[in-house]
Amino acid sequence: MSADSWKLTLPCTRAEADAVADDIGALAMLEPPPVLMVTEPDEDRPDDWELVTYFESKPSAKTIAMVAALAPSAAGTKPVLEHLPAADWVTMSQSGIEPVSAGRFYVHTSTNAGAVPAGAKAFLIEAGLAFGTGQHHTTSGCLEMLDGMRRRGEVYRSLLDLGTGTGLLAFAAMHLWPLARATASDIDPISIDVTRENALANAVPLGRGPGQLDLMVADGLEHRRLISRAPYELVIANILAGPLIEMSPQIAAAVDDGGTLILAGLLQTQADAVADAYRRQGMRLAGRIDRSDWPTLRMIKRRRVR
């Protein structure tokens, strides 16, 4: 419990929101670190987002400036700082978040579990320092895509969740293919710490064998274990359109012949450019799910003629 909690609100762009999801910079070194959340207040205005930061005590001007630096588009806009009544500030940061149903999956926090639908696989994912609670259309689109693949009888024995965030997509894929050798990576060490905690909370086994999740901090695919465990029959990359295009040669190379690549984190206006980048790497578009302005693409790597 905190007797002196504070909330700082700033407008931001979608690109800034995604960047915050990947790295909160020097704020992670504060003790205790604040909880940052990004929200899309109006789905009809997909570039107008909001950055909300919760502190256990009143932030200094320097700390406020650190938050403002994460949203350069808000330069000239005065941050809104609110003093909150005594409360559990992490629970407060999760207020208003609704559980998410996507395919057979039901994703909730500890404060909104509700009644799990019959036959659903529930995951406890707290809102906090890492991106990917199931709330955003990119994450729920990936969950729906994975569910559909399993319902069609597809089987995968090795998988990679690239830019894992909270670990949710890796957990979901492991539930669908429990014997697969699973890998999850993120450039942000905090995300890997959060994924490890979430794995414990959801009884997801960690390790390097079949049916276990191997975690690592990595910049893209630049990690010896990521390279040694390739190629993967399934790769999930819910990141940003720019990095997806830039890394298309490396990501496509990590997919096994005939394997599947799920791409998300892009806008409708970016989908053709992303798909074209992977077509140039020998992949074809095999499926698409659209949630609001956020598509999820399923690419298949063409088999080479030997």
Side-chain angles (χ1 to χ4, degrees), residues 7 14 18 27-28 39 50 58 71 75 80 92 107 114 143 159 209 262 270 282 292 296 302:
K7 174 184 176 182
R14 187 258 174 168
D18 284 322
L27 289 168
T39 62
E50 197 169 69
K58 186 176 183 180
V80 177
M92 184 174 295
V107 187
L143 292 172
L159 63 93
I262 296 176
Q270 301 166 326
S292 185
T296 300
R302 301 181 187 276

Side-chain angles (χ1 to χ4, degrees), residues 246-262:
E246 181 181 348
M247 295 193 298
S248 57
Q250 294 84 7
I251 293 176
V255 181
D256 201 2
D257 286 355
T260 294
L261 171 62
I262 296 176

Side-chain angles (χ1 to χ4, degrees), residues 33-97:
V35 169
L36 279 77
M37 296 185 65
V38 289
T39 62
E40 183 184 18
D42 186 351
E43 291 184 359
D44 293 330
R45 301 173 64 186
D47 196 48
D48 293 343
W49 284 58
E50 197 169 69
L51 171 61
V52 180
T53 310
Y54 292 87
F55 299 90
E56 280 198 11
S57 58
K58 186 176 183 180
S60 66
K62 180 179 179 181
T63 299
I64 293 173
M66 291 166 63
V67 176
L70 299 175
S73 66
T77 301
K78 185 177 180 180
V80 177
L81 183 63
E82 304 172 67
H83 181 214
L84 303 175
D88 180 334
W89 65 299
V90 173
T91 299
M92 184 174 295
S93 73
Q94 297 172 2
S95 63
I97 294 178

Side-chain angles (χ1 to χ4, degrees), residues 26-275:
L27 289 168
M29 305 304 294
L30 298 180
E31 184 56 45
V35 169
L36 279 77
M37 296 185 65
V38 289
T39 62
E40 183 184 18
D42 186 351
E43 291 184 359
D44 293 330
R45 301 173 64 186
D47 196 48
D48 293 343
W49 284 58
E50 197 169 69
L51 171 61
V52 180
T53 310
Y54 292 87
F55 299 90
E56 280 198 11
S57 58
K58 186 176 183 180
S60 66
K62 180 179 179 181
T63 299
I64 293 173
M66 291 166 63
V67 176
L70 299 175
S73 66
T77 301
K78 185 177 180 180
V80 177
L81 183 63
E82 304 172 67
H83 181 214
L84 303 175
D88 180 334
W89 65 299
V90 173
T91 299
M92 184 174 295
S93 73
Q94 297 172 2
S95 63
I97 294 178
E98 297 295 331
V100 172
S101 290
R104 73 188 67 194
F105 300 109
Y106 182 81
V107 187
H108 63 89
T109 69
S110 58
T111 62
N112 72 357
V116 178
K121 171 59 179 177
F123 287 112
L124 168 64
I125 304 291
E126 303 287 18
L129 298 176
F131 183 72
T133 63
Q135 295 294 318
H136 196 268
H137 294 304
T138 58
T139 308
S140 55
C142 289
L143 292 172
E144 189 176 335
M145 182 71 78
L146 289 168
D147 179 67
M149 290 158 52
R150 181 65 183 86
R151 291 185 189 279
R152 291 191 296 272
E154 298 175 24
V155 177
Y156 298 96
R157 294 164 294 185
S158 60
L159 63 93
L160 167 64
D161 182 11
L162 183 67
T164 193
T166 62
L168 173 58
L169 296 178
F171 302 164
M174 292 176 69
H175 173 72
L176 298 174
W177 298 285
L179 299 181
R181 186 180 63 174
T183 309
S185 68
D186 203 289
I187 192 172
D188 184 3
I190 291 177
S191 288
I192 296 303
D193 289 342
V194 169
T195 297
R196 187 174 289 108
E197 294 171 3
N198 286 338
L200 179 62
N202 290 280
V204 174
L206 299 178
R208 301 184 186 179
Q212 297 178 319
L213 181 61
D214 189 13
L215 298 176
M216 62 201 72
V217 178
D219 184 355
L221 288 151
E222 296 179 6
H223 192 288
R224 60 178 181 81
R225 287 210 311 281
L226 281 179
I227 296 169
S228 67
R229 292 167 75 89
Y232 303 89
E233 294 183 354
L234 170 63
V235 175
I236 307 161
N238 179 15
I239 44 181
L240 292 171
L244 285 175
I245 293 172
E246 181 181 348
M247 295 193 298
S248 57
Q250 294 84 7
I251 293 176
V255 181
D256 201 2
D257 286 355
T260 294
L261 171 62
I262 296 176
L263 301 170
L266 49 138
L267 290 163
Q268 296 277 11
T269 55
Q270 301 166 326
D272 288 344
V274 171

